[in-house]
Every structure is written in structure tokens, then in C-alpha cells.
Amino acid sequence: LLIQETPWLRDAQSETEQKKRIALLFNLNKMKNEQATALNKLKQNQKGSGAWPWFNGGPDSRFVTQHIIAGMGHLKHLSVTSNKEEMQKVIKNALRYLDNEFVKEYIYMKRHATNINDDHLSQTQIHYLYMRSFFKDIKTSKQVDEITAYYKGQAQKYWKNKGLYAKGMLALIMHRNDDAKTSEKILRALEENSITSEELGMYWKSNTNSWHWYQAPIETQALLIEAFAEIHPQDVE
């Protein structure tokens, strides 16, 4: 009875339960079925425009749509997607909508900007470029290419003005678009401003909570890990 009441036994039972849950999580058949179910739900909720709303029956949301397609981009990048043909249809429909929204924001900005050479690199446009960098195999229009070139020039000039999350995205965007010079500059600046400790590893003091989507600490840390792992894989243990 005394042994059963000890914390060591409870810890052992907890560890066994954790192992069971991890084994269930990585059950490949289960993952495949759940991915198919999730994709089917996304297909059903995708609107004719290619966008998703926040909630069924709501208006198109560029924010939600970009995040969903960026998530699919991660799956594609990691080569863990099943039912690729169905997913490709969903992605192409969404990219059509997102490309149009990317152009719309640029046109609106250009119409109202005092000086087009000022910093007009918004968080939404950065996130679009990051999302789009996963799908270089899916063609864009000439107009999208021209606007993308403008924002790449903006990134080269104004990346220092951006926060951690945006810098991580910009490093990956420029790396994936063969601008190693800019991506290396961003990564070097991120490294110089980081803190490394034996207990916490590499982290950033400025990575704190905020209500902005681009200032979520865990997501920011994960993105920065992605940037270092992809651009400098030799330095990642």
C-alpha cells in the first residue's frame, strides 16, 4: 500500500500512459485516415472563390486561407501528404484567390502611397510570399511575378525594420528565391540578437506574448527553428 502511494509509482504509470499516447499519435494508418478526414472537411468548407471563411457561411478570409495553405505547404515540404491529387486541387483553387488578394493589396497601396519606395512590406504580404514559396511548381501570372519582384526589393531594403516572426519568414523567402546574400544577413542578425543557455537552448528575449498573430511566442520560435534548419542544416544538431 505504501509503495502504491509513492510518487514514483504514479510517475511510472504516467510515463507508460504517455508512451501509449505517443505510439497512438504516430500510428501511420491512423494519421493517414485523419489526414483524409481533415482534407475532406476543408474541401467541403472551401468556397467557390477558393477561400475559406472564419466560420461556415461567413465572408472570404484571406488570413484564414493563407494560414491553411501555408500549413499544406509545410506538409508538402516534409513529404508527409497523402491523397496528393485531391490536395493539389484544393491548393490550386486557394492560390487563385490568394494571388488575386496579393495583387489587390498592392494596387490599393500603390494608389494611396505617398512614396512607393517607402516601407510597404506589410505582415500579410510577407506571409503571402512565405506561403507562396512552398509552391514554386504552381505557376503565377506575370502581374504576380512583377509585384513579387517589388516586394523582394522591399525585403532587401527594409528587413531590419521587422519583428522576429517576419524576419524568419523573410529569411526563408529570400533563401527559396535564390537570394542567399539577404537570407544570410537576416540569419546572422537573428543569431547575433539571440541568447543561448544550457537550460533553454537558443532563444530571443524579444519573443514575448502579444495579441498579434505574428507575435505568438511558440509559433515564432518554431519558425525561427525552421529558418535555421533549412538555411544552415549543418549547424542544427
Side-chain angles (χ1 to χ4, degrees):
L1 286 171
L2 284 171
I3 291 169
Q4 286 179 357
E5 290 299 317
T6 61
W8 293 281
L9 180 65
R10 289 198 299 274
D11 288 347
Q13 288 171 337
S14 175
E15 190 177 341
T16 302
E17 186 61 30
Q18 284 173 9
K19 285 179 180 176
K20 284 180 183 176
R21 288 179 183 176
I22 290 168
L24 183 64
L25 177 65
F26 288 99
N27 181 307
L28 295 179
N29 286 330
K30 185 175 183 288
M31 285 174 70
K32 188 176 179 181
N33 291 335
E34 287 186 351
Q35 193 179 96
T37 301
L39 181 60
N40 193 44
K41 283 182 182 177
L42 286 170
K43 277 174 60 184
Q44 289 174 1
N45 293 330
Q46 190 175 28
K47 299 175 74 174
S49 62
W52 283 276
W54 273 99
F55 303 101
N56 283 342
D60 295 354
S61 171
R62 180 185 177 186
F63 174 81
V64 169
T65 306
Q66 265 182 199
H67 276 271
I68 289 171
I69 297 302
M72 290 185 178
H74 277 108
L75 292 174
K76 178 176 179 282
H77 192 63
L78 294 167
S79 302
V80 293
T81 55
S82 59
N83 208 344
K84 290 182 181 179
E85 286 184 16
E86 285 300 310
M87 187 175 279
Q88 193 78 344
K89 287 178 189 175
V90 169
I91 290 167
K92 282 184 175 179
N93 287 338
L95 286 178
R96 187 180 66 248
Y97 162 78
L98 291 171
D99 288 351
N100 288 335
E101 291 300 304
F102 174 67
V103 172
K104 277 184 192 176
E105 181 173 332
Y106 171 80
I107 291 171
Y108 181 87
M109 176 277 294
K110 195 175 178 183
R111 191 178 296 141
H112 294 89
T114 305
N115 184 348
I116 198 168
N117 294 316
D118 289 342
D119 183 358
H120 299 292
L121 199 58
S122 74
Q123 296 291 340
T124 310
Q125 297 294 68
I126 293 171
H127 190 252
Y128 165 88
L129 294 170
Y130 169 70
M131 174 277 302
R132 206 59 173 85
S133 69
F134 286 109
F135 305 102
K136 293 178 77 175
D137 55 320
I138 299 177
K139 288 184 180 179
T140 55
S141 67
K142 186 180 177 182
Q143 188 179 26
V144 167
D145 289 343
E146 288 171 354
I147 296 169
T148 297
Y150 164 78
Y151 281 115
K152 284 178 189 171
Q154 288 262 297
Q156 290 165 349
K157 192 174 180 182
Y158 294 114
W159 65 265
K160 290 180 184 177
N161 300 351
K162 307 305 172 187
L164 283 174
Y165 194 78
K167 281 176 181 170
M169 286 192 288
L170 288 170
L172 286 163
I173 290 161
M174 303 311 273
H175 172 73
R176 292 171 185 174
N177 286 280
D178 304 317
D179 184 351
K181 187 178 178 181
T182 305
S183 68
E184 288 291 339
K185 280 182 184 176
I186 298 170
L187 221 60
R188 189 161 57 248
L190 285 168
E191 192 168 5
E192 286 171 0
N193 287 286
S194 68
I195 299 168
T196 303
S197 77
E198 193 173 324
E199 182 185 0
L200 297 173
M202 186 178 181
Y203 67 100
W204 287 262
K205 194 174 180 180
S206 58
N207 186 16
T208 54
N209 259 318
S210 169
W211 61 273
H212 293 294
W213 62 267
Y214 49 85
Q215 290 177 324
I218 294 173
E219 193 171 348
T220 298
Q221 183 75 13
L223 182 79
L224 293 172
I225 291 169
E226 179 188 350
F228 278 91
E230 185 171 323
I231 301 168
H232 284 173
Q234 70 279 5
D235 296 336
V236 179
E237 294 180 0

